[in-house]
Amino acid sequence: MKVDIAARPAAGGTILDITGDIDLAHSPAVRKALLQEIKEKKTPKVYLNLEKVRYIDSSGIASLVEGLKASRDLGSRLVLYGLSKSVREVMELSRLQKIFEIHENEAQATAS
Amino acid sequence: MLLKLELQSNPEALCLVRATVERAAEVLDFPEGDVRAIVRSVDEALANVMRHAYGGRTGRPIEMRCQKWSGKGIEDKQSGIEIVLRDEGAAVDPAKMKGRPLSEIRPGGLGLHFIRQSMDVVEFSRKNGKNQLRMVKYLAPTPRPAGSEGE
């Protein structure tokens, strides 16, 4: 399954809507889009909408960690929302659920 | 034998393997959370083969066997699923297959940690010039209905 990434404006930043599985085949595309938004466009708040992500593997988590580090370096924010049970489980296995800023849905994320 | 797959080291194949393994685990009556754990382990193990044993080269052979398992596990008579992966890539040193400490927040090194946390048995070996990874997940015994003891 191919991953689709679409960007749209949101409160003080940009929402990246991700659709598909973030696995070894597709995490490079997510990493590229994320780092482009954070490092090149210097977007102050990047929201990652994971509502339509059914699966994420360790390479996908590594891409998110890279994005988080880049945003911290630049003083911007990376906000995740809409995590499925499977994605949430992987976050917990990585013990990263408290490292990332995670919200239930878009309304909560953009109000944060 | 429940399933035997001969695939190539192509990351695009991972979604197909995940769907197949998910169905196999469901057929063996694993609960939803265990199905996800089994799928995650196979996916991470295959990704490790592709990235490390084959150094990112595509088109190299990987064999996966998946079968119903029974034997001595946590209990004397345990059943579950056994998955064996074999590849012809660079030899892997089992002593180095530890994963990184989770206290370090950095990209990479999580795949093996996911496998060890998700499966009950994880064994690396090298046989006949091939790397072999054997993983077993035990099926939790179905609780007996109340009053059925001694039947």
Side-chain angles (χ1 to χ4, degrees), chain A residues 77 79-83 88 101-105 108-110 112:
Chain A
R77 280 171 69 190
V79 180
L80 314 184
Y81 70 87
L83 277 66
R88 201 171 279 275
E101 187 177 341
I102 299 173
H103 294 277
E104 281 299 314
N105 52 44
Q108 287 179 13
T110 51
S112 66

Side-chain angles (χ1 to χ4, degrees), chain B residues 81-114:
Chain B
I81 190 170
E82 178 185 60
I83 296 155
V84 177
L85 302 181
R86 289 194 187 97
D87 69 77
E88 298 173 15
V92 175
D93 180 358
K96 290 183 180 169
M97 302 300 281
K98 287 177 182 167
R100 68 161 169 83
L102 289 177
S103 52
E104 295 173 18
I105 300 165
R106 62 171 175 82
L110 287 170
L112 193 60
H113 172 74
F114 289 174

Side-chain angles (χ1 to χ4, degrees), chain A residues 8-100:
Chain A
R8 59 187 161 100
T14 299
I15 292 177
L16 293 177
D17 295 305
I18 317 283
T19 305
D21 291 356
I22 310 178
D23 63 3
L24 185 63
H26 302 113
S27 59
V30 173
R31 176 183 177 274
K32 187 179 171 190
L34 196 53
L35 293 181
Q36 195 172 38
E37 204 61 49
I38 296 167
K39 288 169 96 169
E40 289 175 30
K41 296 184 183 171
K42 303 215 176 340
T43 306
K45 278 175 93 173
V46 177
Y47 305 92
L48 211 53
N49 175 7
L50 299 172
E51 282 170 357
K52 292 181 180 166
V53 173
R54 207 175 74 100
Y55 182 80
I56 187 167
D57 75 351
S58 62
S59 73
I61 294 290
S63 299
L64 301 192
V65 170
E66 263 194 86
L68 180 68
K69 281 183 173 280
S71 68
R72 283 181 174 177
D73 288 347
L74 292 167
S76 57
R77 280 171 69 190
L78 173 63
V79 180
L80 314 184
Y81 70 87
L83 277 66
S84 67
K85 196 182 274 185
S86 165
V87 174
R88 201 171 279 275
E89 246 172 29
V90 171
M91 279 285 175
E92 285 166 9
L93 282 173
S94 322
R95 298 196 198 149
L96 290 171
Q97 74 273 28
K98 287 182 181 164
I99 305 297
F100 281 98

